Amino acid sequence: MITAIFDGHCVICNTTRRIVTALDWFKRVEFLDLHQHDVVRDRFPAIDHERAMGEIHVVTQAGKVFAGFAGTRRMLRELPLGLPFYALFRLPIIGDWIGPKFYRFVARNRYAINRFFGVELDECEDGVCKIY
């Protein structure tokens, strides 16, 4: 079992959660909304809230933390239908360059993308969200 700590106010993040949950036949991914501050702090005190606001954090049972693109890729490893994508995302050109850059762009602009889909949130300054 892994735990994915995500931004529950983000349409893209929630869509990802719904897709992963639908494909998670063996119930190996637990989602935890970052905005449940007390729960996140109690279970994962090492997770920095500000950093987690910028990118998903996936924590394994062993306590290893994967953030951003690496976290998304790690989630795919848990899903039977995600394994081909996990393998593809491990390729150096994708895993080391294209994937992280694309992830950072989407994460940085996720609330602007949300507005495009008609969802208004005031979580980010000037329509840009933090990412580290």
Side-chain angles (χ1 to χ4, degrees):
M1 165 86 56
I2 62 172
T3 302
I5 302 166
F6 75 107
D7 178 359
H9 292 171
C10 168
V11 172
I12 296 167
C13 306
N14 277 301
T15 300
T16 300
R17 178 186 51 80
R18 283 192 297 276
I19 291 169
V20 169
T21 299
L23 298 175
D24 187 13
W25 303 338
F26 302 117
K27 307 297 181 218
R28 297 175 70 163
V29 181
E30 170 196 23
F31 283 90
L32 182 58
D33 185 347
L34 178 63
H35 298 285
Q36 296 176 346
H37 305 287
D38 294 339
V39 176
V40 173
R41 187 182 59 243
D42 290 346
R43 288 189 54 198
F44 305 103
I47 299 291
D48 177 75
H49 179 79
E50 290 301 314
R51 182 156 186 221
M53 272 302 294
E55 55 191 355
I56 192 167
H57 281 59
V58 174
V59 184
T60 67
Q61 281 185 319
K64 184 162 179 155
V65 178
F66 297 85
F69 179 75
T72 302
R73 181 176 60 199
R74 181 62 181 83
M75 271 193 306
L76 290 171
R77 184 173 144 186
E78 298 296 321
L79 311 173
L81 294 177
L83 287 174
F85 294 101
Y86 172 77
L88 179 68
F89 291 171
R90 295 283 301 167
L91 295 174
I93 187 93
I94 296 173
D96 296 336
W97 193 76
I98 295 172
K101 287 185 185 305
F102 181 74
Y103 182 93
R104 280 192 297 273
F105 173 80
V106 171
R108 216 178 358 255
N109 296 289
R110 70 186 182 276
Y111 287 106
I113 295 168
N114 287 346
R115 280 193 300 280
F116 177 78
F117 288 107
V119 179
E120 286 290 331
L121 294 170
D122 296 323
E123 291 292 321
C124 300
E125 297 175 20
D126 299 323
V128 178
C129 300
K130 294 179 183 175
I131 187 163
Y132 299 84

